[in-house]
Amino acid sequence: MPIDTRELMEAVGMLTDQRNVRVTIKSSAKGAMVCGTTCFIGGLLGGPVGLAVGGTIGAIGAGMMSKGKFRSVNEIIMQEMSDREREQLKERILKALSQFHPTDMAVLLPLIMGNAAAQQAILSTVISFVTNEMKMQIVD
């Protein structure tokens, strides 16, 4: 029986949620720039105390700017990927798991949930796909 893409993506989504794998949508660089700029300006205006105040204000501003811009990989897979991208990801995952010989979901689900090597192979494949194909940045 062929492996159903939707079921595989749900299993992968559970694994990425369990490991708390998230992506940022191009906001980390902006946040660093805001934080650095306010710290620099604070340092120019107030010396060492200005550095601390500017850095604090910048960090708060950067945090407010990035609110809601970090999302789980599961959300990306289930809501933003096209069917074509899901199929590509499925093929890459199955290729990464070829050493385990999964033939159908009845074999694959226990493998995903109970085998650390299989989980690492899947996570590496998903992270590679999200960063290289979808041009998103993974947050540790």
Side-chain angles (χ1 to χ4, degrees):
M1 173 191 270
I3 295 174
D4 181 43
T5 302
R6 183 187 55 74
E7 288 181 43
L8 178 59
M9 293 301 117
E10 287 174 0
V12 169
M14 288 188 324
L15 179 61
T16 59
D17 280 349
Q18 184 181 43
R19 298 289 175 94
N20 198 27
V21 181
R22 299 177 301 146
V23 297
T24 178
I25 314 298
K26 298 180 184 178
S27 62
S28 293
K30 283 189 230 175
M33 195 165 68
V34 166
C35 194
T37 301
T38 57
C39 187
F40 177 73
I41 291 170
L44 287 176
L45 297 176
V49 173
L51 279 172
V53 171
T56 302
I57 291 170
I60 291 169
M64 291 175 67
M65 279 178 32
S66 66
K67 188 175 182 180
K69 303 233 174 147
F70 294 91
R71 301 190 12 230
S72 74
V73 170
N74 187 20
E75 280 182 61
I76 301 298
I77 290 172
M78 300 311 281
Q79 296 172 8
E80 291 198 14
M81 278 188 181
S82 67
D83 289 339
R84 189 180 124 275
E85 288 172 323
R86 283 189 201 101
E87 283 295 324
Q88 288 176 334
L89 180 57
K90 172 187 152 185
E91 294 305 317
R92 290 187 187 183
I93 289 170
L94 292 178
K95 185 176 179 182
L97 294 176
S98 63
Q99 64 182 336
F100 298 103
H101 307 292
T103 54
D104 60 18
M105 287 306 288
V107 173
L108 191 58
L109 283 177
L111 178 67
I112 289 172
M113 295 306 158
N115 186 312
Q119 289 176 358
Q120 189 57 47
I122 289 170
L123 287 172
S124 296
T125 302
V126 170
I127 289 169
S128 173
F129 186 85
V130 168
T131 55
N132 295 330
E133 300 296 324
M134 299 187 74
K135 307 296 186 217
M136 294 182 176
Q137 182 180 1
I138 298 293
V139 178
D140 291 327

